[in-house]
Amino acid sequence: MSWNIFKHFSSNAPKKTVISKEEENEFSREVTKIEALDDATKRLYKDLKKSMEAMATLSKHQCRIGHNLAASPVLNTEEELKSLELISTSVGQIEELTHKLNSQTTKVMVEPMKKFTLIFPSIYLVLKKREQCLQEYTRCQVKVEKYEDKERTGQNIAKLTTAKKGLEAAKESFDKFNNELMKELPEFFEGRLDYFQPCFEALIKAQIQYYTQCFKIYAELAPELEYRETVISDEDFEEQIQQKMSDIRALSIVIDD
């Protein structure tokens, strides 16, 4: 639900307006900011959920690769077994850290953001009420002007008096909603800063802790693996792979495609 839904009320309202163009533009600007905040909050909420799902999926597959390598004949030799076990253990630790990060993200960002989005429907209901009050206010004004233009008979004067009372009540109702909204809409919009800033700070701290611990795990793992001391360029690595593949294809049991 958004403010745009309520614009259809204007099509049924009298063309005449009882408030200035400047007042209506000022109100529209505040509503536009609320719409943008609502949309941004929903998109950020969805992106956070997708990010958590992606991290969980990546961690799951990393862990599965480690376990599968340890159990498969690809590298599972007595010589490589220790390295595979170390890799599998490290990947398992990363999986635990990822689960912890996602839990913290849910607590410090996803849940607060979900609660925040639940506020907007109530705001839109008040906006709808304000629009209805404005239409009623305009109709009452039109009715008063109609009887003011009529002949000053006793019946018309009585109707004019009634219409003026209705106009006064409609104006009071509209002013109440309009004044409240013009005060509270900016307060709500500015309040987002105090609400979300602690959430973002907590999320960043959780991510820093996660990546620091991941780096530590891999840093401790690296010396245990038999890496070459010399750095191999991409071209040399590709050449080695091609040579090994050529050696394999040269075996008599391999049939060329």
Side-chain angles (χ1 to χ4, degrees), residues 77-210:
T77 65
E78 185 175 346
E79 194 176 280
E80 297 289 346
L81 187 57
K82 181 180 178 182
S83 296
L84 290 173
E85 288 176 350
L86 289 172
I87 293 172
S88 180
T89 300
S90 297
V91 171
Q93 292 174 335
I94 298 297
E95 185 179 36
E96 291 180 8
L97 290 175
T98 302
H99 178 73
K100 181 179 178 181
L101 176 62
N102 280 349
S103 295
Q104 291 175 319
T105 301
T106 299
K107 181 179 179 181
V108 304
M109 276 299 298
V110 176
E111 291 180 354
M113 192 157 288
K114 184 176 181 180
K115 291 178 181 178
F116 192 78
T117 60
L118 295 177
I119 298 175
F120 289 97
S122 62
I123 294 177
Y124 294 138
L125 286 176
V126 179
L127 293 177
K128 179 180 178 181
K129 182 66 175 178
R130 187 257 188 195
E131 181 66 20
Q132 291 171 333
C133 288
L134 176 58
Q135 291 185 25
E136 180 61 21
Y137 181 15
T138 303
R139 291 191 187 96
C140 289
Q141 178 65 39
V142 170
K143 186 179 293 186
V144 167
E145 293 175 358
K146 173 185 174 182
Y147 287 117
E148 285 179 338
D149 292 338
K150 286 183 175 291
E151 184 181 356
R152 307 291 289 183
T153 64
Q155 185 178 13
N156 287 340
I157 291 174
K159 290 181 178 180
L160 176 60
T161 301
T162 301
K164 285 182 176 180
K165 290 180 180 179
L167 174 62
E168 183 178 350
K171 182 179 184 303
E172 182 179 351
S173 179
F174 171 76
D175 287 343
K176 175 184 176 183
F177 278 97
N178 190 63
N179 292 337
E180 286 180 355
L181 283 169
M182 289 305 295
K183 176 179 179 293
E184 295 182 3
L185 287 179
E187 290 180 355
F188 174 76
F189 185 77
E190 294 302 322
R192 78 198 188 283
L193 299 175
D194 292 334
Y195 185 82
F196 282 120
Q197 185 172 357
C199 298
F200 283 114
E201 288 181 0
L203 177 62
I204 291 171
K205 289 178 181 178
Q207 290 177 332
I208 291 173
Q209 185 180 34
Y210 169 78

Side-chain angles (χ1 to χ4, degrees), residues 50-69:
K50 289 180 180 179
S51 175
M52 291 170 57
E53 291 170 1
M55 288 195 68
T57 300
L58 174 61
S59 178
K60 179 180 178 181
H61 286 296
Q62 283 180 329
C63 194
R64 183 178 296 174
I65 289 172
H67 292 324
N68 287 344
L69 282 174

Side-chain angles (χ1 to χ4, degrees), residues 94 97-98 209-219:
I94 298 297
L97 290 175
T98 302
Q209 185 180 34
Y210 169 78
Y211 288 112
T212 299
Q213 291 176 327
C214 287
F215 176 81
K216 181 180 179 182
I217 290 172
Y218 285 123

